[in-house]
């Protein structure tokens, strides 16, 4: 059985933030959730906005809940806004359907998700994917 370790999660956070600094992105917040949706690691740079934890968590949790990355969820929100609104309500509003929530897989098995926020949604996703890759895992933006 594949697993997401604390070391993996901490590496993802550190590497995503390092990537963001290298690219001169705005201050970022990064969360890693395990496959159950429980927080495994979190980090926020100085200067992030007050609710960045909630946004990063909403990206990661929404992706886990639906089994696809948040870029795909954003596309679905345009195509089927009532359905995504209903799902968001069903999971307590904990869904942010914009890029930056990337599923984490080990040998094809879903082991968790990373959510990143702070810059443009596309840059958030780039940072998430860089963090996952640095941990030697597979990112699945769907």
């Amino acid at each position: 059985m594949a697993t997401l370790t604390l070391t993996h999660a901490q590496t993802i956070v550190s590497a995503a933030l390092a990537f963001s600094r290298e690219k001169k992105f705005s201050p970022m917040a990064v969360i890693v959730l395990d496959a159950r949706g429980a927080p495994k690691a979190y980090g926020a740079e100085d200067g992030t906005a007050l609710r960045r934890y909630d946004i990063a968590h909403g990206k990661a949790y929404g992706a886990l809940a639906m089994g696809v990355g948040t870029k795909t969820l954003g596309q679905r929100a345009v195509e089927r806004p009532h359905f995504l609104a209903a799902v968001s309500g069903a999971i307590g509003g904990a869904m942010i359907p914009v890029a930056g929530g990337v599923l984490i897989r080990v040998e094809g098995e879903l082991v968790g998700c990373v959510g990143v926020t702070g810059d443009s949604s596309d840059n958030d996703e780039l940072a998430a994917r860089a963090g996952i890759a640095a941990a030697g895992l597979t990112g699945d933006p769907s």
Side-chain angles (χ1 to χ4, degrees):
M1 180 169 150
T3 187
L4 175 68
T5 67
L6 179 59
T7 300
H8 286 135
Q10 291 172 330
T11 298
I12 291 167
V13 170
S14 296
L17 293 175
F19 177 86
S20 298
R21 288 294 48 79
E22 176 186 312
K23 299 296 184 184
K24 298 183 179 9
F25 293 165
S26 297
M28 301 291 254
V30 181
I31 192 167
V32 179
L33 305 180
D34 67 17
R36 303 168 302 142
K40 196 84 169 169
Y42 174 75
E45 295 180 302
D46 295 342
T48 59
L50 176 63
R51 302 304 295 234
R52 288 295 175 188
Y53 174 89
D54 301 306
I55 297 167
H57 183 271
K59 288 182 179 187
Y61 196 79
L64 277 175
M66 294 300 292
V68 297
T70 53
K71 184 179 272 187
T72 298
L73 288 179
Q75 294 165 347
R76 289 182 182 175
V78 171
E79 298 163 1
R80 299 178 276 172
H82 298 312
F83 175 72
L84 264 287
V87 170
S88 185
I91 62 172
M95 181 189 303
I96 309 290
V98 297
V102 179
L103 300 172
I104 304 167
R105 297 193 183 273
V106 173
E107 299 173 2
E109 185 178 336
L110 179 64
V111 296
C113 192
V114 59
V116 179
T117 183
D119 204 86
S120 71
S121 295
D122 288 338
N123 287 344
D124 294 349
E125 183 167 306
L126 289 173
R129 294 177 76 174
I132 296 166
L137 305 175
T138 302
D140 177 7
S142 298

